[in-house]
């Protein structure tokens, strides 16, 4: 991915930039992942994604990890597997920056569609995705682990990348 810089939406006084997420970054990525989610990805999830050659980018500013995403390219589509904004930087517009960068990279790969799943209970993420142009296209029953051995449904969303 070519460097993608952004003017900070709020609270960060220096330029933010994307850089590849590498195995050496996993300790700090896992710290953010564990703070952000009740059921975070494991180190093995990230290692598998990196070994599979998935697109994995971090957004940083002033040496701080603002967020990251991991996406899998298909024939004419990209599937967003993980997108996370560090809790202390949430609600500042960084999710939009991450989603924009993902769409730019996906178009550059010739993708016509972006796909993702999100927990049905994650209203804030649903609003962010919908504001970004994603549309609800289905639901996966019992897709996510939940508390006490339960499972939670996922909303399947897609974004057309055709111009």
């Amino acid at each position: 991915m070519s460097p993608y810089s952004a003017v900070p939406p709020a609270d960060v006084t220096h330029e933010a930039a994307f850089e590849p997420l590498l195995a050496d970054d996993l300790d700090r990525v896992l710290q953010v992942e564990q703070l952000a989610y009740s059921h975070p990805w494991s180190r093995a999830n990230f290692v598998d994604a990196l070994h599979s050659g998935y697109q994995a980018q971090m957004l940083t500013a002033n040496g701080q990890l603002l967020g990251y995403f991991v996406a899998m390219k298909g024939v004419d589509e990209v599937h967003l597997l993980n997108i996370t904004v560090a809790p202390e930087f949430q609600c500042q517009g960084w999710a939009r920056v991450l989603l924009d960068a993902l769409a730019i990279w996906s178009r550059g790969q010739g993708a016509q569609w972006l796909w993702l799943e999100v927990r049905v209970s994650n209203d804030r993420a649903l609003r962010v995705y919908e504001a970004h142009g994603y549309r609800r296209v289905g639901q996966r029953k019992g897709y996510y682990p939940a508390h006490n051995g339960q499972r939670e449904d996922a909303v399947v969303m897609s974004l057309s990348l055709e111009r």
Side-chain angles (χ1 to χ4, degrees):
M1 178 173 198
S2 62
Y4 176 93
S5 297
V7 175
D11 292 332
V12 178
T13 57
H14 292 92
E15 185 175 274
F18 280 93
E19 55 190 80
L21 191 163
L22 305 172
D24 290 346
D25 301 311
L26 289 182
D27 286 342
R28 69 182 181 151
V29 166
L30 285 166
Q31 285 179 334
V32 169
E33 184 79 6
Q34 290 164 2
L35 289 171
Y37 298 113
S38 62
H39 293 84
W41 269 27
S42 67
R43 180 178 294 274
N45 293 134
F46 283 102
V47 168
D48 287 348
L50 295 175
H51 285 181
S52 295
Y54 296 164
Q55 178 68 2
Q57 293 287 311
M58 299 186 311
L59 180 61
T60 62
N62 305 331
Q64 294 183 292
L65 178 58
L66 304 177
Y68 49 88
F69 69 80
V70 178
M72 176 180 65
K73 183 182 176 297
V75 175
D76 65 349
E77 63 187 32
V78 168
H79 191 116
L80 178 60
L81 302 175
N82 186 323
I83 185 168
T84 305
V85 175
E88 65 268 30
F89 297 108
Q90 291 179 1
C91 300
Q92 298 177 16
W94 295 115
R96 185 178 66 247
V97 172
L98 288 161
L99 289 169
D100 284 346
L102 174 63
I104 289 167
W105 176 80
S106 298
R107 283 187 180 103
Q109 299 298 305
Q112 297 175 20
W113 291 94
L114 266 168
W115 295 90
L116 63 84
E117 290 89 14
V118 59
R119 289 178 182 271
V120 295
S121 64
N122 195 341
D123 292 327
R124 186 169 56 168
L126 286 163
R127 285 191 304 272
V128 168
Y129 295 135
E130 287 173 338
H132 209 77
Y134 284 81
R135 299 292 168 244
R136 297 175 192 223
V137 295
Q139 194 161 320
R140 297 190 198 280
K141 297 289 184 194
Y143 185 77
Y144 287 110
H147 296 293
N148 301 322
Q150 300 294 311
R151 305 289 297 179
E152 183 176 358
D153 294 352
V155 175
V156 179
M157 303 185 84
S158 68
L159 175 71
S160 173
L161 297 173
E162 295 180 348
R163 296 177 196 237

